Amino acid sequence: MSMKRLGRYGVLLVTFLLIGACSAEPISQGHTPSALNPHGVGAARIAELWWVMFGFGIAIFLLVAGLLFAALLRGRRGTNTTMPDSTAGDTGRNWPIFGGIALPLVVIGIVFGYSIYTLAGIENPQSIAPVKIEIVGRRWWWEVKYPDQGITTANEIHIPVGVPVQVQLQTADVIHSFWVPELHGKMDLIPTRINNLTLQANETGVYRGQCAEFCGLQHAHMGFMVVVQSKDDFNKWLDVQQQPAAEPADPAAVQGQQVFMNAGCVFCHTVKGIDDKDIDRSSVDLGPDLTHLASRLTIAGASLTKNRGNLAGWIVDPQHVKPGSLMPEMYLNSQDLQNLLAYLETLH
Ligand code: CUA
């Protein structure tokens, strides 16, 4: 290999390594969510159905493979005789009737029946949900509202453990699909419609959710988090979320609040408690409510962990993280950026 070519491969390798180092770490909370690792009532029933189908699939595969093997052995034995056994010809006629019609009807009938039974169980939960959440799918993030408590948040749903939660799903633009593999099956968000789903988690923890219907450029970065808490922790969270944002005390944060008002953030993002009476948001594409941004685990549709560095990168160059997203680049000098970050970090 010539030195020139070697050099070229070297440059390529270094480039790949650099690109690899730049890529944002996926936020999976230590594992990839699997529908076969259920932590919710709905997901458990779906996983059960999956195993039943898998069991039938394996049984039929073994049956077909066994018959094929038997036929091969029989064929080989047959070569030793000079003539085929003419009287045995009729028994072969039953095979297509049994294997081609009767058996598939029975198997498909059982699987179909079991699917309907599972679906009915998931769609009609036994008890009335005491907690209600409204979710609006937007390109490419999730608006989350608790109508009874007057809370609006984004990309993060908190629910109490062991309690059914009614989730109302709507979309502001195109079709999305709400999916928390470890808690429940998918449910589409369809324009002009409201779809309902009942989430019930068996264990506290953080479960990742994902948009499961292709909805444009940033479909893959339309994630969210479901935080399942004890009843006490959930009530505490509700109390905090109901409060408006506290007035900043730190001088940098006070300056940062001015940057938030003057740089244009306030035109798309609400912070409850801020003086935004004169802001008309009727003609803009709404951005996430930031009242309690600092209490969240992630930003940008769960594509980045929430920390100061990621927040800064997202504000300065959102089109690098999520090309095509509606968040515009903010041209801030470094002092304004630091002040703005200081302010955003006060939004607990
Ligand atoms: Cu929203 Cu895919």
Side-chain angles (χ1 to χ4, degrees), residues 94-106:
N94 294 332
W95 280 100
I97 296 167
F98 173 73
I101 300 171
L103 189 69
L105 273 180
V106 170

Side-chain angles (χ1 to χ4, degrees), residues 48-348:
E48 196 181 280
L49 175 65
W50 190 90
W51 284 110
V52 167
M53 286 181 168
F54 182 69
F56 270 111
I58 290 287
I60 289 164
F61 172 76
L62 290 177
L63 182 72
V64 172
L67 288 174
L68 199 67
F69 201 63
L72 281 171
L73 287 181
R74 233 173 86 134
R76 193 171 277 183
R77 255 202 330 264
T79 55
N80 291 336
T81 61
T82 48
M83 289 287 284
D85 191 353
S86 59
T87 53
D90 283 359
T91 58
R93 250 188 243 161
N94 294 332
W95 280 100
I97 296 167
F98 173 73
I101 300 171
L103 189 69
L105 273 180
V106 170
V107 171
I108 292 170
I110 293 172
V111 170
F112 180 70
Y114 206 93
S115 301
I116 298 292
Y117 166 75
T118 303
L119 212 63
I122 292 170
E123 299 273 301
N124 306 310
Q126 302 300 311
S127 47
I128 293 164
V131 182
K132 202 170 117 187
I133 304 176
E134 288 174 5
I135 289 181
V136 183
R138 293 175 180 275
R139 275 176 298 171
W140 288 276
W141 59 281
W142 307 84
E143 188 178 2
V144 179
K145 294 182 202 164
Y146 292 71
D148 296 336
Q149 289 81 11
I151 294 168
T152 303
T153 181
N155 303 319
E156 196 168 305
I157 301 162
H158 287 238
I159 61 171
V161 69
V163 175
V165 176
Q166 195 206 343
V167 183
Q168 275 194 353
L169 301 163
Q170 299 176 67
T171 172
D173 37 60
V174 297
I175 301 175
H176 303 276
S177 181
F178 178 91
W179 190 31
V180 195
E182 289 158 297
L183 299 184
H184 208 286
K186 298 170 188 173
M187 179 67 81
D188 280 1
L189 292 75
I190 297 167
T192 74
R193 271 196 67 154
I194 298 176
N195 279 346
N196 282 285
L197 173 144
T198 305
L199 272 187
Q200 185 171 346
N202 298 329
E203 266 172 88
T204 57
V206 180
Y207 304 100
R208 198 192 153 92
Q210 176 65 37
C211 179
E213 179 78 39
F214 182 71
C215 54
L217 214 50
Q218 289 303 322
H219 157 68
H221 287 144
M222 189 170 167
F224 59 100
M225 292 296 179
V226 179
V227 182
V228 180
Q229 296 172 299
S230 69
K231 210 141 188 217
D232 283 349
D233 287 347
F234 174 68
N235 286 331
K236 271 184 219 153
W237 180 83
L238 284 181
D239 283 344
V240 172
Q241 299 290 313
Q242 278 173 308
Q243 306 301 318
E247 271 302 303
D250 176 63
V254 174
Q255 290 288 315
Q257 193 184 44
Q258 285 311 306
V259 176
F260 184 83
M261 296 297 287
N262 300 333
C265 315
V266 75
F267 287 107
C268 301
H269 296 285
T270 308
V271 172
K272 259 194 279 170
I274 216 171
D275 181 20
D276 60 358
K277 292 189 295 291
D278 304 331
I279 307 294
D280 175 19
R281 297 196 183 89
S282 59
S283 59
V284 297
D285 281 299
L286 221 58
D289 185 301
L290 301 181
T291 309
H292 296 285
L293 170 72
S295 73
R296 294 179 201 154
L297 297 166
T298 66
I299 57 167
S303 50
L304 294 171
T305 310
K306 190 225 71 213
N307 58 43
R308 197 177 171 109
N310 282 342
L311 212 48
W314 174 243
I315 292 166
V316 172
D317 195 3
Q319 297 301 317
H320 176 82
V321 182
K322 287 175 79 166
S325 74
L326 296 176
M327 169 96 173
E329 283 149 23
M330 300 305 291
Y331 299 100
L332 299 173
N333 67 44
S334 78
Q335 193 54 55
D336 282 353
L337 177 64
Q338 293 305 328
N339 290 340
L340 179 60
L341 292 169
Y343 172 60
L344 294 177
E345 284 177 333
T346 68
L347 301 175
H348 285 290

